Amino acid sequence: MSAPAAQAVKIRIRGLKKAFGRKVVLDGIDLDVGVGESLVVIGGSGTGKSVLIKCVLGILQPDSGSVQVDGEEVVEIDADGRERINDKFGMLFQGSALFDSLPVWENVAFGLLARKKVTRAQGREIALAKLAQVGLGPEVGQLSPSELSGGMQKRVALARAIAADPEIIFFDEPTTGLDPIMADVINDLIVKITREVGATALSITHDMASSRKIAHRIAMLYNGRIIWNGPPAAIDNSGNPFVDQFVHGRAEGPIKMAVRA
Amino acid sequence: MNFLQPIGHVVLDFFATTGRLTLFAIDGVTHCFRPPFYGRMIVRQMVEIGYFSLPVVGLTAIFTGMVLALQSYTGFARFSAEAAIANVVVVAVTRELGPVLAGLMVAGRVGAAMAAEIGTMRVTEQIDALTTLSTNPMKYLVAPRLIAGVAMLPILVLIADIIGVLGGFLVASYKLGFNPTNYLQSTWNFMEVEDVVSGLVKAAVFGFIVTLMGCYHGYTSRGGAQGVGAATTNAVVTASILILCFDYILTEMFFAGK
C-alpha cells in the first residue's frame, strides 16, 4: 500500500515511558502517525507493543512522556476529555473481546447505543450494514459470539471497531490465532476498511506477512524504544541487524530471547 | 529479626487491600447516582439476584423454620415452656436467620457468579473493550449490580421470613400437635415491627457486601483461568465473613442496651 500524500500528524508520541515495578517496558518512545497513514509496530512477544497501544487508549497510565491526538495532549486528560478522545478511536482486540452476554448485532452497535446517538432499531440496522461490510450476512446478527469461529469473531470485532466511523483504528495482533488464509482475509479487510472509512491506523503485530500487507510504514520496537522505521519495501534492506533478525525470524543474532523468564 | 518480615507483609497487604476496596466501593457507589443509568442492566441483575435466588433462599428458609420449631420444642419441653416456640421461631427468623442465611446463600450463588463473569471479562479484555466503546465499566458493570443487590436482598429476606415462619408453623401444628389457630395467633402477637425492619436493613447491607465483593474480586482478577478461580473463591469467602461481622455490628447497633 502506498502512503497518502498529506502528512499532517494524527498521533504524536514523545518520550513515552512505562515501567511495571522494576521492569521497564517502554523506555522513551517517539513516534508519529500521520493522518490517513497505516503504521505497523512490530516487535517480539513481551516487548511492550500492547502496552504502547493501551497507553494511547488511556487504559494504562504512562509514567512520563506525552501523547497528542490531533494536537491535544491526552496523557493527563480528565474523564470527560478521555471519553471525547476515545470517541475518535476504534479498537480491534487480540482475542476479539466480544461481549458474550450480548448477541452479535448488539456487540457491533454497542458503542453507538452507549453514546445514545441512535435508537435500538437504528443501531441494529447500522450493525447489520457493518457486518455486511466485513462479509457477514444478517443471520449472524442474532447469534451469540460463542457460536462463531475464531475468524468470524475477528470479523465481528472488526465490525464493532468501525461501527462508529472512528478516525483512528487500533489493531492489536489482528491475525494471531488464525490460519494463514483467514489471516490474509482479515488483512485484506483491514486494508479495504481503513481505506473506506478513511481512518488512520496503528497496528501492532509480529506477523511479517500481515505487516507488509497493511502498513504504509513499519516501526520496530525493541528494548522499549523504536529502533527503526521505514516503508515496508525498505525493511528487507534495513541495514539494521536487529530488524534483519526479526524479519527473517532467526534465533541467532543480536536479539537474545529470554528462554527462561 | 527476619521472622517479623512476613508479619509486616501481611499487615501492609491488609491495609493496602482495605484501601483499594474502599476506593473501589466509593467509586462504585458514586456511579450509582450519576447518569447515564443502565436500566436494562439493573433490571437484568435484579432478576438474576432476586428472582433466580428465590428457590434456594426459600428452601433454606423453610427448613430453618422447621428445624427451629423442632429443636426448641425438644429443649423447651423440659421446662414445660412449649408455648414459647412461636415466639422463638418468629424472633430468630426475622432478626437473624432470615437475613444471615439468605445473605450467605446469595453470596454463594450470586457473588461467585459475579466474580467469575466480571473476572472472565477482565482477562479476555472485555472490560478494556468497554472503555474503548465510550462506556465506563464501573458504571456499566458494577453500579447496576450494587443497586440490584441492595434493592433485592430485603425483598428476598421478607419472603424468607414468611416462608421460615410458615416452616415453623407446619412442624408445630402437624408434628408437634399445636393448635394451628393458637400458634398463628401467638406468632402474630410476638412479632415486632422492629425485628422485621432490623432484619431488612441487615439484608440491604448484606446485599451491598455480596455484590461489592463479587464485583471487586472479579474486576481486579489477574492471570487467566486460575486468577478467575481465585477471584470466585475470594468473593464468596470474604462476603461470607463480612456478612457475619456486620451481622454482629448491626445487631449491636439495633438492640444493644435493650
Side-chain angles (χ1 to χ4, degrees):
Chain A
M1 242 162 100
S2 60
Q7 276 299 337
V9 176
K10 192 77 179 168
I11 306 175
R12 181 191 300 273
I13 302 170
R14 286 290 175 272
L16 192 70
K17 292 191 181 186
K18 177 75 186 171
F20 294 100
R22 251 170 276 169
K23 188 173 158 46
V24 177
V25 179
L26 301 180
D27 191 17
I29 300 274
D30 297 327
L31 202 60
D32 287 342
V33 190
V35 174
E37 186 188 26
S38 169
L39 176 75
V40 174
V41 176
I42 57 171
S45 311
T47 49
K49 303 189 298 290
S50 294
V51 175
L52 173 64
I53 278 198
K54 285 180 179 168
C55 282
V56 177
L57 282 169
I59 295 170
L60 288 173
Q61 183 67 28
D63 298 333
S64 65
S66 133
V67 177
Q68 291 180 0
V69 176
D70 288 329
E72 188 182 355
E73 181 61 48
V74 299
V75 166
E76 295 284 334
I77 202 165
D78 61 8
D80 288 341
R82 172 52 72 184
E83 214 159 282
R84 184 168 44 77
I85 292 293
N86 276 6
D87 277 357
K88 299 182 183 184
F89 294 164
M91 165 91 180
L92 177 66
F93 284 87
Q94 186 176 350
S96 296
L98 298 174
F99 306 123
D100 32 36
S101 55
L102 301 175
V104 164
W105 79 264
E106 247 187 287
N107 264 283
V108 176
F110 194 93
L112 297 167
L113 295 173
R115 279 164 227 170
K116 311 243 184 228
K117 277 189 194 151
V118 297
T119 63
R120 285 179 71 79
Q122 287 169 323
R124 196 192 163 88
E125 222 165 272
I126 297 172
L128 295 183
K130 297 291 172 184
L131 285 172
Q133 223 177 330
V134 297
L136 293 174
E139 71 283 354
V140 179
Q142 275 317 316
L143 299 177
S144 142
S146 58
E147 294 175 82
L148 306 179
S149 69
M152 283 168 91
Q153 287 185 358
K154 266 275 154 62
R155 289 179 190 227
V156 174
L158 185 58
R160 183 175 73 178
I162 60 164
D165 298 319
E167 295 169 30
I168 306 167
I169 314 178
F170 298 87
F171 299 98
D172 183 357
E173 310 261 2
T175 55
T176 299
L178 301 177
D179 66 76
I181 297 171
M182 185 52 80
D184 202 47
V185 171
I186 296 290
N187 287 334
D188 282 339
L189 271 176
I190 290 175
V191 172
K192 172 173 108 80
I193 276 166
T194 44
R195 198 183 299 137
E196 280 172 4
V197 182
T200 304
L202 175 58
S203 320
I204 55 178
T205 186
H206 51 237
D207 177 350
M208 284 314 299
S210 168
S211 49
R212 282 175 209 273
K213 189 145 194 175
I214 64 181
H216 295 135
R217 191 157 61 89
I218 298 179
M220 171 139 174
L221 182 64
Y222 178 69
N223 251 354
R225 286 167 181 278
I226 300 294
I227 56 164
W228 182 87
N229 86 83
I235 200 162
D236 292 307
N237 308 302
S238 62
N240 183 318
F242 293 90
V243 177
D244 251 12
Q245 184 192 349
F246 189 84
V247 170
H248 296 107
R250 287 191 290 255
E252 299 297 319
I255 304 175
K256 300 292 179 221
M257 280 288 163
V259 179
R260 277 169 300 176
Chain B
M1 298 302 260
N2 246 353
F3 68 95
L4 286 177
Q5 204 175 345
I7 302 176
H9 242 295
V10 170
V11 172
L12 286 180
D13 217 43
F14 174 77
F15 283 112
T17 309
T18 312
R20 271 197 295 269
L21 179 60
T22 311
L23 290 177
F24 184 88
I26 293 170
D27 198 16
V29 170
T30 347
H31 279 297
C32 293
F33 296 102
R34 271 194 315 205
F37 304 108
Y38 294 98
R40 191 178 290 269
M41 294 297 285
I42 298 174
V43 170
R44 192 166 169 169
Q45 290 304 323
M46 282 183 163
V47 171
E48 182 60 40
I49 297 172
Y51 184 70
F52 288 115
S53 298
L54 270 178
V56 62
V57 169
L59 279 173
T60 314
I62 196 156
F63 283 111
T64 308
M66 286 162 68
V67 164
L68 263 179
L70 207 53
Q71 286 280 27
S72 41
Y73 179 78
T74 49
F76 288 175
R78 288 184 223 156
F79 313 107
S80 318
E82 297 95 328
I85 291 179
N87 183 12
V88 168
V89 169
V90 74
V91 170
V93 167
T94 54
R95 274 196 188 186
E96 274 305 314
L97 296 170
V100 171
L101 290 177
L104 292 176
M105 297 313 279
V106 172
R109 212 190 78 80
V110 175
M114 275 182 191
E117 186 182 351
I118 297 181
T120 307
M121 291 186 75
R122 164 63 70 194
V123 300
T124 55
E125 296 187 307
Q126 289 180 50
I127 292 183
D128 290 343
L130 281 174
T131 312
T132 66
L133 293 167
S134 303
T135 302
N136 186 320
M138 289 297 288
K139 202 180 278 295
Y140 183 77
L141 293 175
V142 177
R145 285 171 166 80
L146 293 178
I147 294 171
V150 173
M152 293 319 282
L153 251 272
I155 297 175
L156 270 178
V157 166
L158 196 61
I159 295 169
D161 285 351
I162 295 167
I163 296 177
V165 170
L166 177 75
F169 166 77
L170 290 178
V171 168
S173 47
Y174 291 103
K175 186 160 170 61
L176 306 175
F178 280 75
N179 178 315
T181 321
N182 287 350
Y183 185 91
L184 280 184
Q185 186 63 48
S186 49
T187 298
W188 187 249
N189 290 342
F190 281 123
M191 194 171 68
E192 301 271 355
V193 174
E194 200 189 354
D195 291 342
V196 178
V197 170
S198 76
L200 298 186
V201 173
K202 280 183 180 179
V205 174
F206 298 165
F208 181 72
I209 290 175
V210 167
T211 45
L212 179 69
M213 288 300 133
C215 292
Y216 174 76
H217 287 285
Y219 206 82
T220 53
S221 67
R222 290 281 178 276
Q226 204 175 10
V228 175
T232 311
T233 312
N234 288 337
V236 177
V237 172
T238 50
S240 305
I241 291 173
L242 283 176
I243 283 176
L244 296 174
C245 287
F246 273 87
D247 183 42
Y248 180 82
I249 295 169
L250 292 171
T251 307
E252 176 120 10
M253 278 166 60
F254 279 121
F255 300 109
K258 289 195 182 170

